Amino acid sequence: MKKQIKTTEAIFPMPVLLISTFNEDGTVDVMNAAWGTMLERDMVALNLTQTHKTVQNIMARKGFVIHIADAKHVTEADWFGVASGNKEPDKFAKSGMTFEKSQLVDAPIINELPVAIECEFVEYQSDETGLGVIGKVLRTSVEESVLKDDKVDIDALEAIAFDPYTHGYYKVGTRVADAFKEGLKLK
């Protein structure tokens, strides 16, 4: 028997995405965003409000980089979620991480994180059913250490997911089946 619980944000796993932008003064801003997804093969949606410094930066600079957070950097990832860019202007410096400027968009790529998805800002949807930031993926770069046969090795990546039930982070890994093949056993 199922029991009703109070949470409505109950989809698990939620990705831990680190969104990097430049502030007006050229310093780096990064936020932790669990509410993001793909809209199409080359389009992303980040369900973020305009009150976030990162969203203001995206709209001003017309670009951003999405990084997939990993277990090795869970402390930094959580810091980027608990520290607001509106109140902690040097939060990136406090993380101890480094960056290089993207050659495609006006945004930083965090060197220590294994996956960087460079995105061009397309639009901001702000009506009651709007998604927030919509971006076009221009390039995805991945550290060779987490590649196997030129594909991301999820076990090596050690991506983390956010658990909305208990507010925990979990490491994603261990393949259980081959997509688009496992179900064919029932044919």
Side-chain angles (χ1 to χ4, degrees):
M1 173 190 269
K2 290 184 175 65
K3 180 180 177 181
Q4 291 183 0
I5 61 175
K6 293 184 180 188
T7 187
T8 57
E9 54 180 74
I11 294 176
F12 175 82
M14 295 176 83
V16 178
L17 306 173
L18 301 178
I19 315 303
S20 62
T21 63
F22 284 122
N23 291 313
E24 286 178 2
D25 64 1
T27 58
V28 175
D29 174 68
V30 183
M31 84 173 288
N32 179 325
W35 294 36
T37 191
M38 299 299 302
L39 284 177
E40 296 179 29
R41 291 192 184 276
D42 66 345
M43 299 293 284
V44 294
L46 304 173
N47 191 348
L48 305 172
T49 64
Q50 286 180 303
T51 58
H52 291 289
K53 180 69 174 158
T54 304
V55 173
Q56 295 165 19
N57 291 341
I58 289 169
M59 293 173 75
R61 300 276 187 153
K62 307 298 183 210
F64 57 100
V65 179
I66 299 172
H67 301 84
I68 297 175
D70 62 352
K72 187 193 259 184
H73 300 98
V74 68
T75 300
E76 294 88 346
D78 194 55
W79 168 247
F80 293 138
V82 298
S84 166
N86 288 317
K87 296 177 183 173
E88 286 274 353
D90 61 346
K91 75 177 185 177
F92 182 74
K94 287 182 178 180
S95 76
M97 296 181 128
T98 61
F99 75 95
E100 63 184 63
K101 186 179 180 327
S102 165
Q103 295 175 2
L104 298 178
V105 295
D106 190 11
I109 296 172
I110 301 171
N111 294 320
E112 291 77 8
L113 297 171
V115 177
I117 304 166
E118 296 162 85
C119 301
E120 177 181 63
F121 174 64
V122 173
E123 70 175 300
Y124 186 84
Q125 296 181 358
S126 61
D127 64 13
E128 65 184 53
T129 59
L131 292 170
V133 174
I134 308 297
K136 180 173 180 56
V137 176
L138 301 180
R139 175 169 59 193
T140 301
S141 302
V142 181
E143 286 293 333
E144 290 184 29
S145 63
V146 298
L147 289 175
K148 183 177 182 180
D149 300 323
D150 287 333
K151 294 189 181 354
V152 175
D153 179 343
I154 298 302
D155 289 325
L157 177 60
E158 294 188 325
I160 57 174
F162 173 68
D163 159 24
Y165 296 105
T166 66
H167 294 168
Y169 294 113
Y170 289 83
K171 190 168 27 172
V172 177
T174 310
R175 187 182 189 106
V176 296
D178 292 324
F180 312 112
K181 292 182 182 175
E182 186 67 20
L184 297 177
K185 292 177 182 176
L186 301 177
K187 197 169 185 180

